[in-house]
Amino acid sequence: MSKSQHCQLFSEIYSAYYNAVAAVIRAAQDGSLDSGSLFDIVRDSAFPESVLTIVPALENGSWPLIKKDWTTNIRHTPTMPLSLLQRQWLKALCADPRIRLLAGDAELSRLEADLSDVEPLFRPEDFCLYDAYSDADDCTAEPYVANFRTAMRAIHGNGILLIEYRGRGGRIRKFTCRPCKMEFSQKDGKFRLVSRRKNRRITCNMCRIVSCGIVQAADELPDGLPPDESRTVTLEIYDGRKAMERAMHEFAHFERSCIHVRGGVYRLTLSYDALDETEMVIRVLSFGPMIRVIAPDEFACIVKERIRRQMELMGAQR
């Protein structure tokens, strides 16, 4: 790595000292700074021993930033410029079609103009998801973008949505719910809206939402989601093709326990939300013969049925 690259990635401008002094200046600008708050800000923003250096330097004027009356001559609020690495990362995010779901068109246009001279940190074609489904959500479709942004406004504003939803059979129905969070499945490339409807927890595929709008409901829905229905599955992992390493990565965010059974065989027990059972089945199937379902029998039957349907589909395509 060249010297210039070191300067771009690691600069004292982004150090704890700079951040601590910036916080002190902001407090002086809003009139909340005094001897006690100065000590607290430096202690919380930098290192424990930093109070021995920064506090005296600001109080005695050797760092001429704070006046005796705890005000400052600095007029502009201190901000930290983005590093080159951060700008490259933002440029890479702008190339992801899903960014339009989370940022407005005006904001994206401004970002693209500001980052016009920056090379992206990575490009979408740099990644190959070998085990992903091919029917991912079309995140660029205008109705999809509009519905997604409306759902996110309702989540952040604790609002109630009136949703027109297309079921599996094509039938459209209307209902109100209180959206609580948005989930994304990397495996099938789909967003799911998790909501509360009366006393039930429901999950809606965003691609099936025909339209939605924030409404005032007569019967106000309670906040938050009802308790999850937790289930467990026990898997036997045969540590070939780095299956154990991949399993620990794949199921890292689940509550789990793992024991060594014999040789290269391990037993992994996972806890998951009942609403995520289909997702869990897909994840287990992605390991092929390297994983066997031990319990419960109901989960094993679901896996067998999906394999049977897949074999029938493959046979029909020959």
Side-chain angles (χ1 to χ4, degrees):
M1 182 179 288
S2 67
K3 182 178 179 181
S4 62
Q5 287 176 310
H6 275 295
C7 293
Q8 291 165 349
L9 291 175
F10 306 103
S11 169
E12 64 180 7
I13 293 176
Y14 302 93
S15 71
Y17 273 28
Y18 273 74
N19 285 299
V21 173
V24 170
I25 293 172
R26 286 193 291 270
Q29 289 174 331
D30 63 27
S32 62
L33 187 66
D34 55 29
S35 179
S37 62
L38 171 62
F39 183 91
D40 292 339
I41 291 171
V42 174
R43 180 194 59 194
D44 296 339
S45 303
F47 309 105
E49 65 274 13
S50 298
V51 295
L52 303 177
T53 303
I54 299 178
V55 171
L58 291 174
E59 286 183 329
N60 63 29
S62 58
W63 292 1
L65 301 171
I66 304 299
K67 297 193 293 186
K68 294 294 184 181
D69 60 355
W70 302 109
T71 60
T72 180
N73 288 324
I74 297 176
R75 291 179 297 170
H76 300 292
T77 302
T79 57
M80 295 297 164
L82 294 178
S83 68
L84 175 62
L85 183 63
Q86 289 172 318
R87 286 162 58 81
Q88 290 176 321
W89 179 73
L90 280 174
K91 184 65 173 284
L93 291 187
C94 288
D96 190 324
R98 292 170 295 188
I99 194 68
R100 287 195 64 229
L101 302 175
L102 304 171
D105 295 335
E107 185 177 4
L108 285 176
S109 298
R110 180 179 58 80
L111 274 174
E112 290 173 359
D114 292 344
L115 302 172
S116 59
D117 60 339
V118 177
E119 284 294 315
L121 188 62
F122 53 84
R123 302 178 188 276
E125 56 268 24
D126 294 337
F127 300 91
C128 178
L129 302 179
Y130 63 90
D131 59 349
Y133 280 60
S134 59
D135 61 340
D137 286 357
D138 181 6
C139 298
T140 62
E142 289 302 328
Y144 189 100
V145 173
N147 290 336
F148 191 99
R149 291 178 178 177
T150 300
M152 292 303 295
R153 286 199 302 272
I155 291 172
H156 292 305
N158 200 29
I160 294 175
L161 280 181
L162 173 62
I163 293 178
E164 285 189 71
Y165 193 74
R166 180 181 291 106
R168 292 186 180 276
R171 180 169 168 264
I172 296 178
R173 57 192 180 94
K174 291 184 179 182
F175 57 87
T176 56
C177 63
R178 184 182 294 279
C180 298
K181 63 179 180 178
M182 189 75 73
E183 295 181 342
F184 178 72
S185 169
Q186 185 69 46
K187 287 286 185 186
D188 53 11
K190 294 184 183 298
F191 283 95
R192 300 186 180 101
L193 180 64
V194 182
S195 309
R196 180 169 193 147
R197 186 182 179 199
K198 297 180 180 179
N199 291 320
R200 294 191 300 115
R201 176 190 177 112
I202 63 171
T203 302
C204 302
N205 286 342
M206 284 302 300
C207 60
R208 293 182 178 272
I209 295 179
V210 179
S211 65
C212 64
I214 301 175
V215 297
Q216 295 292 328
D219 50 338
E220 289 293 326
L221 296 171
D223 295 339
L225 291 169
D228 298 341
E229 180 187 346
S230 182
R231 295 181 182 176
T232 61
V233 60
T234 301
L235 309 169
E236 196 165 79
I237 303 175
Y238 306 97
D239 197 15
R241 307 175 193 170
K242 295 186 177 181
M244 189 61 196
E245 179 183 338
R246 290 190 293 119
M248 289 296 99
H249 176 74
E250 180 72 21
F251 303 115
H253 59 291
F254 290 93
E255 182 182 344
R256 65 195 186 282
S257 63
C258 186
I259 60 173
H260 180 232
V261 179
R262 64 186 181 279
V265 181
Y266 299 83
R267 186 160 294 174
L268 177 66
T269 300
L270 301 166
S271 297
Y272 65 94
D273 184 354
L275 292 173
D276 296 330
E277 189 160 75
T278 300
E279 176 78 9
M280 180 62 73
V281 170
I282 294 172
R283 288 171 181 250
V284 169
L285 284 171
S286 69
F287 285 85
M290 296 296 104
I291 278 186
R292 183 166 69 95
V293 179
I294 302 298
D297 292 339
E298 294 82 1
F299 193 96
C301 288
I302 296 173
V303 171
K304 291 176 182 177
E305 176 61 21
R306 287 187 72 98
I307 294 175
R308 184 190 65 78
R309 294 205 310 264
Q310 186 65 33
M311 291 177 65
E312 288 180 352
L313 181 62
M314 292 174 64
Q317 291 177 345
R318 289 177 183 172

